[in-house]
Amino acid sequence: MASNALLTILGLPLSDEQPISEEAKRTISEADLVIGESRKRALGILAQAPEGRGKSLYLLDESSRPADREWQAEVTKVAALKGRVVLFSDCGMPLLFDPGSAVLEACRKLGFEIRSSSGPTSWGSAAALSGWLPPFLILGFPPRQNRPAFWKGLSQVDAHCVLMERPYSFLPFLKECTEVFGKSRQAFLAWEIDSGKQRLIWGSLGEMMAKAGSFESKKGEYILVVKGRAE
């Protein structure tokens, strides 16, 4: 047992098709409390780790029952008992943009020792697959409010902009990008990285808009890397 309570951030495989490691199964089996970012993903992971099925599970998904989201009090109890918490980080380790960041911050304030068992990160993989040299500007998901302020000045940035979007918002998002950066700006689009269905597309934003209907999906995560301002 660690001298302090322990939080392990477990980076999950990018695809549901990939199994978790033996190390991940061990981490889950030793946990007193499991926190998942989404119900479906968390239950799928626990199904691969039999010893974790009886663990206390809390969820960060806004669509979950309110009682399933009341993880703060449980984390405080685990801190007092110097126990172990495992946090499932979906799509690798993109805690910067996911609700798991709130768990990390709370555990830090409570004096937890923090460890990670990292996996691939979707936006990091997309940046590498683009084939473009750094720098990259990691922007994540555009906010739902005050969008003009978010986009302001990005068309003049020299770094390649890495953006993420949910499938149900993808077409309006792509239209927005085309208006901000221009139809001729080069971009790289990654959908469902590491799965058997993945699509990797290079081309101008105008070309992507013309083809968008053929690859739009209501599932998975889109990552768009927009090339930096041309010299």
Side-chain angles (χ1 to χ4, degrees):
M1 182 67 69
S3 58
N4 295 321
L6 176 66
L7 169 68
T8 301
I9 302 167
L10 185 60
L12 303 185
L14 297 183
S15 167
D16 292 339
E17 303 164 6
Q18 298 171 335
I20 60 174
S21 66
E22 292 302 317
E23 179 186 356
K25 292 177 184 178
R26 253 190 328 271
T27 299
I28 294 168
S29 70
E30 294 170 354
D32 300 298
L33 174 65
V34 177
I35 301 176
E37 291 186 325
S38 62
R39 175 179 292 279
K40 181 180 177 182
R41 194 77 165 106
L43 293 179
I45 295 300
L46 289 176
Q48 297 185 49
E51 293 182 13
R53 291 176 186 171
K55 303 287 184 182
S56 296
L57 172 64
Y58 287 83
L59 300 166
L60 306 175
D61 189 343
E62 292 181 357
S63 63
S64 298
R65 298 174 304 176
D68 292 335
R69 301 198 300 269
E70 295 177 357
W71 54 268
Q72 292 94 334
E74 295 304 311
V75 166
T76 301
K77 292 177 185 177
V78 174
L81 296 171
K82 297 185 178 180
R84 295 176 181 243
V85 175
V86 61
L87 168 64
F88 294 161
S89 179
D90 293 354
C91 292
M93 296 291 286
L95 282 174
L96 291 174
F97 314 117
D98 284 352
S101 59
V103 178
L104 172 60
E105 182 64 18
C107 287
R108 286 182 57 210
K109 289 180 178 178
L110 288 167
F112 275 71
E113 180 181 343
I114 310 296
R115 294 181 187 169
S116 71
S117 180
S118 302
T121 299
S122 56
W123 49 264
S125 296
L129 286 167
S130 72
W132 301 328
L133 295 175
F136 291 90
L137 177 60
I138 312 301
L139 295 165
F141 294 94
R144 296 180 182 179
Q145 305 295 327
N146 201 16
R147 304 274 279 205
F150 173 81
W151 293 114
K152 186 177 181 181
L154 287 183
S155 64
Q156 301 303 309
V157 171
D158 291 328
H160 314 308
C161 295
V162 182
L163 297 144
M164 304 165 72
E165 191 50 273
R166 300 163 185 85
Y168 55 81
S169 303
F170 175 69
L171 286 180
F173 159 77
L174 185 58
K175 183 175 183 294
E176 246 182 325
C177 287
T178 303
E179 293 170 351
V180 169
F181 294 98
K183 293 182 179 180
S184 62
R185 184 69 68 92
Q186 292 295 302
F188 167 69
L189 176 64
W191 173 71
E192 285 285 77
I193 287 181
D194 277 12
S195 78
K197 300 176 182 178
Q198 69 179 338
R199 295 285 299 274
L200 306 177
I201 301 170
W202 291 261
S204 70
L205 288 171
E207 291 169 340
M208 289 186 183
M209 274 297 299
K211 298 176 182 176
S214 66
F215 57 75
E216 185 206 8
S217 172
K218 299 300 181 184
K219 296 182 180 180
E221 180 180 82
Y222 289 93
I223 304 168
L224 183 69
V225 185
V226 181
K227 200 165 190 179
R229 181 184 60 174
E231 294 182 4

